[in-house]
Amino acid sequence: MPATIVDLGPAKFLRLPGEAIVGAAILLALPRKPRVVLAAASGVALAALTVLNWLDMGFKQYLGRTFNLVLDWSLLGDAQSYLEDSLGRTATLAATAGVIILVLLLFAALAYAVVRLSDVLARHSATATRGTLIAGVVWITCSSFGVQLAGVPLAADSAAVTLQSQTERVSNTLKDEAEFRKVATVDAFGATPPDQLVPDLRGKDVIFTFIESYGRSAIEDPIMAPGVDKTLAVRNEALEKAGYHAKSGWLTSATYGGSSWLGHSTTLSGLWVSNQQRYRTVMASDHLSLTKVFKKSGAWDTVGVMPGIQKSWPEQSFFGLDKVYNAFELGYKGPKFSWSTMPDQYTLEQFQQRVHGKKHDKPVMSEVILTSSHQPWGPIPKMVGWDQLGDGSVFKGIEAAGNKSADVIADTTKSRQEYGKSIQYSVTALTEWLERYGTKDTVLVFLGDHQPIARVSGNHASRDVPVSIVAKDPKVLDKIGDWGWSDGLRPAHDAPVWKMNLFRDRFLTAYGSTPHPKKG
């Protein structure tokens, strides 16, 4: 079995497995009782490797990486929740039950099959011994001379390679935990006095906004790019007429296809948070997040607007947010749009009413998460008059008339088209909000958290996401003039590309922060 879905094909299965030859030789040499025990154990082991291989295939297709045997079991629960939001509870329960039954049958069937084959070998031991020797000679010959069938090596050792890969992955994960703990204790700005943190942004309302799945593919893929690029051009022109200017570049995300929180935490912590173990380590540390910088300075109130949060969120402390508005605190009475609890336009209007538009003793630093471009991209909200938003009931008809998520999921071309439309919607909602409500002291930083899944972005897409800084005060953009970023909302193809974890320190340095390293 290949390790990726795109490599599936008949040639992959018309191969001679070396592990089966070795297994046959061992089983032939054993008396009945230990032979049956070993055969059953081998069948169970083969089933386990098959399941892990399936998980690898799925994770590569959706998250652009292999399954981690230590860290990723919790993501299966997230996947089930996503399916429930997209397809409904009944369909999700049926699919879950089907998967469980399939896995149990796989274990039972393979254990029985290997035991039965071992009995056949024992009954015909002379013939089986000759056959095993011949197969061994053929395997060694094909392996030595690189014999291929339809471009695939005829001599296979896939099970052994898979086992070795999984073992190394577990070992590397355990080593990474200890090494990353040391890395997380070092912070270039960890001991910086409050009055030396972002002095060049004092008096500004600073907003960090993440747009779900806003990746380079949205801007450069031939299917999605025409609509998204037109939207960026139109919205850039509108913002310039309103007195705003923007600069844009690229960041390489620590995640791909999902696990948005890894992208958020990488950007804001300045650490490469590429898995759940690293995330837990960072969240439990006193490492200074970019958002917490504003709280520590004492010059800002700090707020989070996060419609994707539907349960307790202890990470609030790490990000230094005085107040967080979750999905249940924004007064929304309209329908969910698949996974997304509410349209981005409604989220932004509530942000205006509850945070940005209110009088404060201090300026406000806000972290806003926009979710309408979250897969499965069906149905997608549409823009309505800002004065018509009310409690969100206006979206009932729009949601009912939209594409069904199951139809979008099943069609790759449609998924790509609808993904592009969702990015257009999110960018339009955000920039219209800025055009309508922004002031001379509003500074907007917005970026994607990761690329969309491989089925949309392509099997060889980069992990790059666009990032933009928008402001009316020219001094704000002058501070990043030496970054080489493109003018406007659309980063040029050859605009600088940084790893996402580098953004925090470069942002802090650009706006006047003085490094005071903290170690240990």
Side-chain angles (χ1 to χ4, degrees), residues 7 11-12 14-15 146-155:
D7 288 331
K12 290 288 185 179
L14 298 175
R15 307 172 72 191
V147 178
Q148 295 187 352
L149 177 66
V152 178
L154 189 60

Side-chain angles (χ1 to χ4, degrees), residues 187-200 202 288 293 296 505 507-517:
D187 190 342
F189 293 90
T192 300
D195 62 341
Q196 296 180 29
L197 291 169
V198 286
D200 296 339
R202 300 294 164 111
L288 189 63
V293 162
K296 181 180 177 181
D505 286 8
F507 184 90
L508 292 176
T509 301
Y511 292 105
S513 303
T514 305
H516 284 269

Side-chain angles (χ1 to χ4, degrees), residues 3-4 9 16 37 54 112 136-137 140 147 188 192 331 336 357 384 427 465 478 495 498-499:
T4 60
L16 189 61
V37 172
W54 286 346
Y112 173 75
V137 171
I140 292 171
V147 178
T192 300
K336 290 180 68 174
V384 301
V427 169
V465 299
D478 288 345
W498 305 339
K499 290 186 70 175

